[in-house]
Amino acid sequence: MLKDKACIVGIGETGYCRKPGSGMSEEVLQLKASVAALADAGLKGKDIDGVLAFPNLGKSETFAASLGSENLRFAATIHMGGASPVASLRMAAMAVDSGAANYVLIPGGWNGFSGVRVRQTVTTDKNSIPGGAIAWDYYMPQGLTVPPQWYALMCRRHMHEYGTTHEQMGAVAVAMRKHAQLNPGALMCGKPLTIEQYMASPMLADPYRVNDCCLETDGAAAFIVTTVERAQDLGKTPIYIMGAASGQPYPADEFTTRKDFHQTGLTIAAPEAFRMAGVTARDIDFAQIYDCFTFEVIQQLEEAGFCKRGEGGSFVENGGIELGGHLPVNTSGGLLSEAHSLGLGHIVEAVKQLRGDAGERQIADAQLGVVTGWGDFGDGSIAILRK
Amino acid sequence: MSEYNKPLPGMDGLTKEFYDFCKDEALHFQKCTACGSFRHVPREMCAQCNSFEWEWMKSSGRGTIYSWVVINRALHPAFYDSNPQAVPMAPVVVEMEEGVRLLSNMVGCTPDELKMDMPVEVVYEAVTDEITLPRFRCSQA
């Protein structure tokens, strides 16, 4: 059992921007976030002996070389796109619990606005994701080229089977934007969004409007995991990993033929994580849900067990996922309204909430939080964290 | 046909075999000869029974619309540079009588006319001298 065997002890961010761009390489961005995480934890680069680099955005060995991590013992990358950071959190916990490493760094960051855009990744490199070759041979020739188009197919089927509405998707966009107003670091702070403005937003990949889509931004974040024992000697309140799991939909490399079209990696991962933690969805004070698109929040709330499949739409309505609602979701504004931090920002925000460092958006007495990741054709990861 | 500059499938292995059948205007799917299950996209092994024995079987070509996306703004240069009239376009997921699903596009049917579970049948579009893509039209039966 991995329950309560490892802690997050350091978090770091660079800050996020769009125009004119970060002006830094993706490597420098991630190193700056890593240095910030080390400082937060009270550690030095030489203490790091494990690095889990984000897919396609750097090599663990490169980070170790620059940080002076002379004792690198554990280096890997989990190829799950946006589900990678939370899956890496789990793998880091396994590594420190087993003794394979003492301090594991998980960096991630990019010039997602000023550099290569997401729309250019799979379409220019068939090896960029595990299902890339299938996308090249069977999706792209038919004009299906980018993630909002892939997921829109899942969304429309969900709308058909369960009656999920545009207004419910809009409730997700509005909630994330409200939270961003309380986060000075959010790109959309100072730019509120009403449901009327959302409904007037042009269609991009119907049923997805422009305002259903996350931001594209430059920036990086990082965090550090160590054992519970080592965490006690460091400066910050240790954040315990109570439960963590990752999973793949079946099949993971192709989504049109899935027998269960609504299955995601989270469908498999969430029950494992809750069982490990010994808590239920009802016990959770907040959730940071990977919000690449609005519907993916609804879908993950269902598959994570916060509500039944088909009830995600009503779960997010009427302020249900806003601060003060039954489950505040993405208190920083998320990918939709803070920045596209590749899912690392969701972990960072969960740590801030549990430490009580979330400023104006702080949830009173936050004890238990969930973080999810979503990537590629629906890969999933989840962690249940406590202070 | 030399002007076609949209993405094309890689023509090797089982993918070449799949598209070569399309060129002959005969949609085929793999059928496991051990357990009888159909599969798409092509793979070397049956995921139901792990048999490597299989054969290409001609599809009835009939299916129903399972889902679709209306692309109002193309995010790939081939779909906006080459042809401004390319959008809106609506890739569809078709559930075939054989039980497999595949991604395609409709011809002679606008995005507004798409309906869930609408019966459709395969047609073929030779986009280059080498490659023919399967497309679908509303069922004529």
Side-chain angles (χ1 to χ4, degrees):
Chain A
M1 272 286 268
L2 203 55
K3 181 183 181 181
D4 294 337
K5 295 290 175 58
C7 295
I8 301 173
V9 292
I11 53 172
E13 290 173 286
T14 57
Y16 307 104
C17 66
R18 294 195 287 191
K19 286 175 185 169
S22 70
M24 285 179 260
S25 71
E26 291 176 334
E27 183 182 327
V28 170
L29 274 173
Q30 293 180 80
L31 285 170
K32 283 185 179 280
S34 300
V35 168
L38 285 166
D40 184 56
L43 292 167
K44 302 287 183 201
K46 66 177 168 51
D47 297 319
I48 297 297
D49 55 1
V51 181
L52 294 169
F54 196 93
N56 308 326
L57 291 173
K59 299 276 187 284
S60 300
E61 293 80 355
T62 313
F63 292 109
S66 293
L67 292 166
S69 310
E70 296 178 11
N71 191 30
L72 186 68
R73 297 188 287 148
F74 180 67
T77 290
I78 299 180
H79 289 274
M80 294 176 74
S84 177
V86 176
S88 296
L89 169 67
R90 195 267 296 252
M91 188 180 262
M94 291 162 67
V96 299
D97 181 45
S98 72
N102 292 342
Y103 300 98
V104 179
L105 169 73
I106 294 125
W110 59 350
N111 288 321
F113 180 85
S114 67
V116 174
R117 298 290 187 97
V118 169
R119 72 188 71 157
Q120 296 166 307
T121 53
V122 175
T123 53
T124 57
D125 177 8
K126 70 163 74 171
N127 295 313
S128 60
I129 65 168
I134 289 171
W136 274 51
D137 290 341
Y138 297 95
Y139 301 167
M140 281 167 49
Q142 298 287 355
L144 195 80
T145 58
V146 294
Q149 300 164 0
W150 308 336
Y151 307 151
L153 290 167
M154 303 179 187
C155 178
R156 185 181 303 280
R157 188 70 200 176
H158 194 276
M159 295 171 93
H160 171 68
E161 289 184 24
Y162 301 110
T164 308
T165 66
H166 288 288
E167 287 78 4
Q168 290 168 336
M169 292 157 67
V172 175
V174 168
M176 304 306 96
R177 193 65 69 90
K178 275 193 187 173
H179 296 163
Q181 305 316 306
L182 302 174
N183 175 8
L187 267 290
M188 289 297 159
C189 186
K191 296 176 184 169
L193 178 77
T194 65
I195 190 70
E196 291 76 20
Q197 288 168 322
Y198 166 86
M199 292 299 286
S201 166
M203 284 291 184
L204 179 86
D206 183 351
Y208 285 150
R209 296 179 151 81
V210 171
N211 277 339
D212 288 303
C213 304
C214 61
L215 300 169
E216 293 179 290
T217 58
D218 293 3
F223 62 96
I224 296 166
V225 172
T226 190
T227 58
V228 169
E229 293 72 23
R230 289 183 179 86
Q232 311 309 317
D233 300 331
L234 299 173
K236 293 288 167 62
T237 306
I239 302 305
Y240 287 73
I241 300 161
M242 285 183 81
S246 63
Q248 309 274 357
Y250 183 79
D253 63 355
E254 200 284 320
F255 69 89
T256 63
T257 294
R258 285 178 194 158
K259 194 168 288 180
D260 176 359
F261 201 62
H262 304 296
Q263 188 206 37
T264 71
L266 207 51
T267 315
I268 295 166
E272 179 189 339
F274 278 105
R275 202 160 48 239
M276 187 187 297
V279 299
T280 70
R282 287 175 171 275
D283 300 320
I284 302 298
D285 296 315
F286 65 84
Q288 315 295 345
I289 305 286
Y290 193 91
D291 52 332
C292 43
F293 304 94
T294 54
F295 168 70
E296 272 56 53
V297 173
I298 292 172
Q299 186 171 22
Q300 289 176 82
L301 287 168
E302 293 178 356
E303 300 307 307
F306 288 104
C307 57
K308 288 186 185 140
R309 189 181 284 183
E311 295 178 356
S314 48
F315 189 87
V316 303
E317 282 178 323
N318 303 317
I321 59 169
E322 294 176 13
L323 282 163
H326 48 71
L327 181 74
V329 169
N330 296 351
T331 46
S332 67
L335 305 183
L336 285 161
S337 284
E338 183 191 38
H340 198 316
S341 47
L342 297 160
L344 284 108
H346 290 70
I347 296 166
V348 167
E349 175 68 7
V351 170
K352 287 180 185 171
Q353 287 286 353
L354 292 169
R355 284 179 178 176
D357 289 344
E360 271 193 86
R361 60 187 190 277
Q362 179 65 46
I363 295 162
D365 196 30
Q367 300 283 337
L368 277 182
V370 157
V371 188
T372 74
W374 163 286
D376 297 348
F377 296 152
D379 296 351
S381 52
I382 180 170
I384 298 160
L385 305 175
R386 71 168 175 89
K387 65 180 170 187
Chain B
M1 289 189 186
S2 58
E3 293 301 308
Y4 192 82
N5 63 358
K6 291 175 183 170
L8 291 168
M11 289 296 273
D12 47 28
L14 296 174
T15 294
K16 181 177 188 318
E17 293 181 35
F18 175 83
Y19 283 105
D20 280 346
F21 280 118
C22 293
K23 192 178 172 189
D24 293 338
E25 303 208 337
L27 182 65
H28 278 61
F29 297 115
Q30 286 172 295
K31 184 181 185 185
C32 174
T33 50
C35 77
S37 28
F38 280 91
R39 61 187 190 257
H40 181 73
V41 300
R43 297 186 195 264
E44 298 289 351
M45 177 191 253
C46 176
Q48 299 299 316
C49 72
N50 288 3
S51 169
F52 286 92
E53 304 301 317
W54 57 271
E55 58 189 348
W56 286 109
M57 288 288 287
K58 188 177 178 188
S59 166
S60 73
R62 288 190 295 271
T64 54
I65 295 292
Y66 190 78
S67 193
W68 71 92
V69 51
V70 184
I71 299 172
N72 300 92
R73 190 177 143 209
L75 294 172
H76 185 289
F79 293 94
Y80 53 76
D81 288 348
S82 64
N83 179 6
Q85 282 81 50
V87 293
M89 61 177 173
V92 294
V93 176
V94 179
E95 187 160 79
M96 302 299 299
E97 283 185 342
E98 291 81 9
V100 301
R101 301 192 197 109
L102 85 163
L103 192 83
S104 186
N105 269 263
M106 296 293 287
V107 294
C109 172
T110 65
D112 289 348
E113 293 168 330
L114 286 165
K115 287 187 178 60
M116 283 290 177
D117 306 323
M118 187 169 91
V120 295
E121 61 191 27
V122 71
V123 293
Y124 301 92
E125 183 178 349
V127 296
T128 70
D129 290 340
E130 299 299 317
I131 294 174
T132 293
L133 299 177
R135 309 286 202 197
F136 284 80
R137 66 179 178 191
C138 298
S139 182
Q140 310 290 297

